[in-house]
Amino acid sequence: MRTKRLTTMAILTALALALSWVERMIPLELIIPLPGVKLGLANTVTLFALYQLNLPSALLILIARCLLTALFSGNMTGLAFSLTGGILSMLVMTLARHSRHLSVYGVSVLGAAGHNCGQILIAMILMHSTYIWGYLPYLLLIGTACGVATGAVSSGVLRALGGGKHHYA
Amino acid sequence: MKKERSALTFRRGDAVAIAGVILFALALMGYYLFFFSAGEASVARIYQEGQVVRELRLDRDVEFVLEGDFRNVVTVQDGKIAITESDCPGADCVHSGWISRPGRSIVCLPNRVEIRLEGGELTDDDVDAVVQ
């Protein structure tokens, strides 16, 4: 692995961790009291990595971010949620990116939906309860709003920093 | 370069994707509310790790503690139920507030607890069937 790519990935991982931490200061769960509701700012980093680097790099950054967040917070249940949600979200975004009809906004929204489905899936498995899916519509609606927001942020970031492709690789 | 830029501006396809997700969510919500919240909520069933650990009626005020990885204080008052105190991270369950309508539930993911309001009678024979 080239040094430049390694450095870029390390910086992006650190940035994603910082964003997850900043996000915790925004008390979204006070307005919308559902477990697992969050803005998804760290997804900006994932989107950036997907558009500017490649899938393996984006996946590595995601896994590193999830592991480190779990390590810092000591919340191992959270790890199962963030990993399942994150990987499903990345899968959806990778597919969505190849559609010529979608911009980073659509990719972000579909990624958020994938994340929500992953969260519900793991909740159903961990709690041995199928009823949990009753939460899915609410998560999806909030996730869509947050997805548009992160899409806008990503669009701005990519516009400002994204020169030619593999510029950061 | 030009193609790269156009991937960053909002397109009609994005609107279609957003509308699709919203419609799917609304359809799910309708389905859930229609099939799972009929009738009066008479019984609150408390599940931990998918097992019914306690059943109670909402017309009797009570307060007790659910132990697990964390500690949830469950309160029943005036036909409503809530987790009023919890030492779990985030305490989303406490923020969920009071529920009283059938089909509604309070979830504490860290403690693997779900409080679900259901119709029907308080019967112990029923428990095994519910758990599957």
Side-chain angles (χ1 to χ4, degrees), chain A residues 29-30 33-37 51-52 75 77 81 97 99-107 109-110 113 117 123 126-138 140-141 144 148 154-155 158-160 162-165, chain B residues 1 3-14 17-18 21-22 24-26 28-29 31-33 36 47-51 69-70 89-90 92-93 95-97 103 105-110 112-114 116 118 132:
Chain A
E29 73 275 4
L30 290 183
L34 286 177
V37 167
Y51 276 78
Q52 287 296 316
N75 184 356
T77 315
F81 281 87
R97 231 203 104 188
S99 163
R100 53 178 67 244
H101 301 290
L102 295 175
S103 76
V104 67
Y105 286 90
V107 173
V109 166
L110 291 176
C117 292
L126 282 180
M127 302 192 50
H128 309 281
S129 166
T130 47
Y131 274 75
I132 302 281
W133 71 264
Y135 277 100
L136 184 58
Y138 302 96
L140 282 175
L141 291 178
T144 302
V148 173
S154 303
S155 168
L158 285 164
R159 230 179 265 271
K165 213 174 171 224
Chain B
M1 187 71 175
K3 191 169 172 281
E4 203 68 19
R5 291 271 166 198
S6 70
L8 302 180
T9 31
F10 197 90
R11 287 191 228 166
R12 195 185 293 165
D14 298 325
I18 292 168
V21 175
I22 290 174
F24 177 66
L26 290 178
L28 270 185
M29 199 185 285
Y31 178 78
Y32 189 86
L33 291 178
F36 292 87
Y47 296 76
Q48 203 162 16
E49 313 250 356
Q51 303 284 320
D69 289 348
F70 298 93
D92 288 327
C93 52
H95 296 138
S96 302
S105 67
I106 298 173
V107 172
C108 181
L109 290 174
R112 309 265 214 282
V113 162
E114 187 190 3
R116 196 185 300 158
E118 292 168 355
Q132 293 153 4

Side-chain angles (χ1 to χ4, degrees), chain B residues 43-71:
Chain B
V43 180
R45 285 200 180 86
I46 300 175
Y47 296 76
Q48 203 162 16
E49 313 250 356
Q51 303 284 320
V52 177
V53 291
R54 192 155 175 168
E55 282 185 308
L56 38 109
R57 296 171 53 155
L58 290 183
D59 51 6
R60 288 189 201 139
D61 292 0
V62 67
E63 188 168 273
F64 59 92
V65 173
L66 272 179
E67 298 279 357
D69 289 348
F70 298 93
R71 209 170 158 274

Side-chain angles (χ1 to χ4, degrees), chain B residues 41 44 56-62 74-84 97-101 106 115 117:
Chain B
L56 38 109
R57 296 171 53 155
L58 290 183
D59 51 6
R60 288 189 201 139
D61 292 0
V62 67
V74 179
T75 311
V76 176
Q77 205 174 62
D78 306 326
K80 304 185 305 270
I81 188 165
I83 295 180
T84 41
W98 297 88
I99 57 169
S100 59
R101 299 234 312 278
I106 298 173
I115 300 176
L117 294 187

